[in-house]
Amino acid sequence: MNTVKVDFEDGIAWVSMNRPEKKNAISVEMAHQMVKLMDQLETDERCHVLVLTGAGESFSAGMDLKDYFRATDKASAVERARVYRLNGAWQWRGLLHYPKPTIAMVNGWCFGGALTPLVACDLAIAADEATFGLSEINWGIIPAGVVCKAISTVMSARDAMYCVMTGETFDGRRAAEMRLVNESVPRAKLRARTQELAKTLMSKNPTVLRAAKTAFRYSARMSWEEAADYLFAKSDQSIFQDPERGREEGMRQFLDEKSYKPGLGTYKRKKG
Ligand code: ACO
């Protein structure tokens, strides 16, 4: 794999879009390789948290205009649909439902189609110095793929419309203000802060974390009545599937052992 790369470190899989000379623009080959890599990492014990970032000075300059637009313009409708489906398989379907926690670490340029995987990650941290933009309007298209849909799930309509209609750039701090990312830190601290957040996630019970992600995503689209019933069942499923029996252990350590306060931290896990 040459257009994506992964480095493992203390439970974190640092996954980079890796075409730095092209500002990590997303090519069809990159989409193929990312789908394959994410599939492998699902069962790789070295990956407890997946961090998505970009090699060099860019997160990603969005879809590769040459490869994803000019080249596929000439393809048949079926082939065109195939390459877009391939991209969706990692950029949103794959990331939205990934069984392990995901963090987008936005280190630099982040345009157009790159906002989809950014939003689809569970959490996102940007460098203050990163440059974002919904640049589609600047070259005569709408933010398609699923970019409009993605940003509508995290940004206010006013902010999203402003970015969609002006194509103006904004930095990491502004991205945090608009809730496109959770927070923004100076670039020099970006990796350390991301590592710290990943460690917090790794201290939690992974079975419950997986259920909590799914519970949030699905219940957000349900009525209150449906959500109440679904979440009741989801909670039971999570307890049933949990090899750590975390719920019982958590209660035991708080109520009987009095060794921790759930309001202030996580129960002591045997491993993890
Ligand atoms: N698609 C294809 N090639 C790209 C893309 C892209 N999205 N972004 C950068 N490249 C290529 C450039 O064509 C250039 O190739 P070359 O070396 O063969 O000439 C190389 O990457 C380096 O890019 P430069 O433009 O020279 O780098 P610079 O630092 O001057 O500018 C910037 C960086 C601002 C990111 C600029 O490359 C740019 O505007 N890229 C396009 C951003 C964009 O609008 N993306 C599409 C969003 S819409 C969508 O994703 C659906």
Side-chain angles (χ1 to χ4, degrees), residues 7-262:
D7 298 300
F8 297 100
E9 188 191 358
D10 301 331
I12 304 173
W14 300 90
V15 173
S16 300
M17 295 173 270
N18 187 34
R19 298 180 71 214
E21 73 293 350
K22 297 288 180 193
K23 311 296 171 192
N24 303 322
I26 298 159
S27 60
V28 174
E29 189 184 17
M30 186 191 287
H32 267 295
Q33 294 185 356
M34 196 60 93
V35 168
K36 197 168 169 193
L37 177 62
M38 282 175 50
D39 184 52
Q40 287 168 358
L41 293 178
E42 269 197 35
T43 53
D44 192 319
E45 273 307 306
R46 293 170 297 176
C47 171
H48 292 274
V49 174
L50 186 157
V51 174
L52 178 68
T53 189
E57 65 187 0
S58 316
F59 179 71
S60 166
M63 305 312 290
D64 187 311
L65 269 55
K66 218 186 243 178
D67 199 35
Y68 247 99
F69 291 89
R70 190 171 277 172
T72 53
D73 283 352
K74 298 184 199 107
S76 68
V78 170
E79 188 51 35
R80 242 181 122 220
R82 275 169 64 83
V83 293
Y84 279 87
R85 198 167 60 239
L86 173 74
N87 203 44
W90 77 273
Q91 278 203 342
W92 55 280
R93 285 194 191 92
L95 280 170
L96 283 175
H97 304 295
Y98 208 62
K100 295 177 177 177
T102 56
I103 304 172
M105 183 175 87
V106 185
N107 49 315
W109 300 120
C110 180
F111 288 103
L115 272 75
T116 298
L118 156 64
V119 170
C121 283
D122 302 323
L123 302 169
I125 304 183
D128 292 345
E129 300 88 339
T131 302
F132 297 75
L134 269 296
S135 55
E136 287 88 339
I137 197 80
N138 295 339
W139 64 279
I141 67 163
I142 66 164
V146 288
V147 175
C148 278
K149 174 67 185 171
I151 59 171
S152 77
T153 65
V154 290
M155 294 170 80
S156 78
R158 284 274 177 251
D159 288 332
M161 285 291 260
Y162 188 92
C163 296
V164 165
M165 296 179 75
T166 66
E168 282 176 16
T169 58
F170 50 94
D171 65 10
R173 285 195 202 90
R174 183 73 190 123
E177 277 169 17
M178 295 191 294
R179 310 312 295 140
L180 184 55
V181 299
N182 292 93
E183 61 186 89
S184 170
V185 296
R187 185 176 278 137
K189 296 189 175 157
L190 182 62
R191 191 176 167 96
R193 174 62 189 123
T194 305
Q195 224 159 5
E196 184 184 50
L197 179 59
K199 278 189 184 150
T200 299
L201 296 175
M202 282 189 272
S203 74
K204 312 294 178 192
N205 180 321
T207 309
V208 183
L209 211 47
R210 190 167 66 242
K213 283 175 51 162
T214 310
F216 178 79
R217 291 208 191 278
Y218 283 135
S219 63
R221 299 201 301 254
M222 293 176 187
S223 71
W224 282 69
E225 296 299 342
E226 287 163 346
D229 196 48
Y230 161 74
L231 290 171
F232 204 81
K234 190 74 192 165
S235 178
D236 280 354
Q237 181 201 48
S238 156
I239 294 164
F240 177 74
Q241 289 183 345
D242 183 10
E244 287 185 22
R245 297 187 51 74
R247 178 178 181 271
E248 303 314 314
E249 190 55 28
M251 280 200 283
R252 191 187 65 77
Q253 289 180 21
F254 175 51
L255 298 176
D256 306 332
E257 209 174 87
K258 299 195 182 300
S259 56
Y260 87 116
K261 310 272 181 196

